[in-house]
Amino acid sequence: MRVYVPLTLSGLAAAHGAGEIGPGPLTAYGVTPSLREWYVSDDIEELEYAALSRAASASLRLIAGRPDEARRRVVVAVDVPDGDAVADPEQALDASSLGEVRIARALALSKAAAVHVDADDAEKDVAAAAAALGAADLGDDDARFTVDGAEDHELLWFGVQEIPGLIG
């Protein structure tokens, strides 16, 4: 199963230095039964994109909680054995946790398939979204519009070998 692990740029730097994403347990996103039901698609690429988008939203939440963090969302795609990514059946009906899985152990960065990161030009919108996230969660429509502005930016694809350039 491919899982998408939300990080920050400093989190990616730490993972690169340690050679692993962790320690466990980790929260990641994948194509779970609840995500399939919600998205109503059999196209695996569309479903994986939906899981990636969920992880990008989780990365935004990590950024929002860290004022000194670079304002660029980061998601690492890693292939894990199916049994290693466990969805909580209690959360299956909770829209905020669609696609969420738990991974008990650290993930070797060498097993990563790709890294997805915002382009430099997304930083202004990601910063505004991080600042507006709390109000958006409370139902403020203007704040939700600001958060959606960050989500309009597509994450760029990078090979694992390009991590030093991303964190340097």
Side-chain angles (χ1 to χ4, degrees):
M1 169 183 227
R2 176 155 294 174
V3 297
Y4 299 89
V5 184
L7 291 176
T8 61
L9 276 177
S10 65
L12 181 63
H16 180 67
E20 65 183 17
I21 304 167
L26 300 170
T27 298
Y29 295 82
V31 179
T32 62
S34 62
L35 184 75
R36 282 181 187 275
E37 185 176 324
W38 171 75
Y39 200 76
V40 191
S41 175
D42 289 330
D43 185 328
I44 191 65
E45 287 183 18
E46 288 180 12
L47 291 165
E48 286 184 345
Y49 182 78
L52 170 64
S53 297
R54 305 289 293 175
S57 293
S59 176
L60 178 64
R61 290 192 176 282
L62 292 173
I63 291 166
R66 299 177 181 145
D68 296 333
E69 186 64 54
R71 289 350 210 183
R72 292 172 68 192
R73 298 168 298 163
V74 177
V75 176
V76 179
V78 183
D79 293 318
V80 300
D82 287 345
D84 285 3
V86 179
D88 183 352
E90 296 280 324
Q91 295 179 336
L93 300 176
D94 181 3
S96 67
S97 62
L98 285 170
E100 190 174 289
V101 295
R102 296 276 186 265
I103 300 168
R105 59 179 173 75
L107 298 173
L109 200 54
S110 62
K111 300 289 185 186
V115 179
H116 303 271
V117 181
D118 273 313
D120 292 340
D121 67 353
E123 284 187 52
K124 180 180 171 191
D125 288 337
V126 171
L133 199 53
D137 287 346
L138 294 173
D140 183 312
D141 289 337
D142 291 335
R144 171 80 333 222
F145 182 78
T146 300
V147 171
D148 290 345
E151 293 173 358
D152 288 342
H153 291 275
E154 296 287 333
L155 298 179
L156 303 177
W157 183 96
F158 295 92
V160 176
Q161 70 276 12
E162 296 177 272
I163 291 174
L166 292 169
I167 61 176

